[in-house]
Amino acid sequence: MNHSNELTQLELILLQLVAKGEGKWSWYEIAQALSRLDVPREPDMMEVLKKLAAEGFLTREVQPGSPRDRWELTQAGKKRLSDAKAGRTRRTIGDVSRSISAESIPTIEYSGSQLSGNVKKR
């Protein structure tokens, strides 16, 4: 994770994919799902998964005698994903409301039922 406590796009997508796999997906299924998305591929997916696990957001289970692993969100990971989604929604709404202000909405003058064609900014 980055130092600003915000998830990178790749971290967010990986948390979402691990959540979608519901603890049943291995790195291979996660990589297959990731390959269909338009997201940055750097740093390497496994590095990011291991980092998220080290930070307590994911667990990785490897079954004895099997090379196959399973990735799952921890409770902290579920909360982090939920918080990230809520934060992105709040920022998006805030960005829209900041970009639409009274000064940016044009006014049209008219007299009676005739438009004068004059557009004035408030």
Side-chain angles (χ1 to χ4, degrees):
M1 277 218 223
N2 58 31
H3 296 294
S4 70
N5 207 22
E6 245 185 66
L7 294 171
T8 65
Q9 182 183 12
L10 182 56
E11 289 169 337
L12 178 61
I13 295 294
L14 288 174
L15 287 177
Q16 290 171 330
L17 291 174
V18 170
K20 184 177 181 180
E22 298 178 339
K24 298 174 187 155
W25 284 6
S26 71
W27 70 267
Y28 182 78
E29 283 91 6
I30 295 168
Q32 289 298 309
L34 185 64
S35 71
R36 293 186 288 273
L37 302 174
D38 183 25
V39 294
R41 298 293 195 265
E42 293 291 327
D44 178 70
M45 177 196 82
M46 283 304 293
E47 290 177 28
V48 177
L49 286 173
K50 289 176 182 178
K51 185 176 183 183
L52 290 168
E55 292 175 345
F57 299 126
L58 300 176
T59 59
R60 179 184 185 201
E61 181 182 327
V62 179
Q63 302 211 342
S66 172
R68 211 165 154 90
D69 61 2
R70 300 279 185 249
W71 290 88
E72 189 169 5
L73 286 179
T74 62
Q75 286 301 331
K78 290 175 185 174
K79 181 174 180 349
R80 187 67 183 102
L81 181 57
S82 175
D83 290 349
K85 287 180 179 179
R88 288 183 189 272
T89 302
R90 279 194 299 274
R91 279 194 302 280
T92 301
I93 292 169
D95 293 345
V96 169
S97 59
R98 275 191 300 281
S99 67
I100 300 174
S101 64
E103 294 80 34
S104 66
I105 301 172
T107 59
I108 300 174
E109 293 183 341
Y110 66 95
S111 59
S113 62
Q114 292 286 67
L115 291 175
S116 70
N118 293 332
V119 177
K120 293 170 50 176
K121 291 230 180 199
R122 289 186 191 170

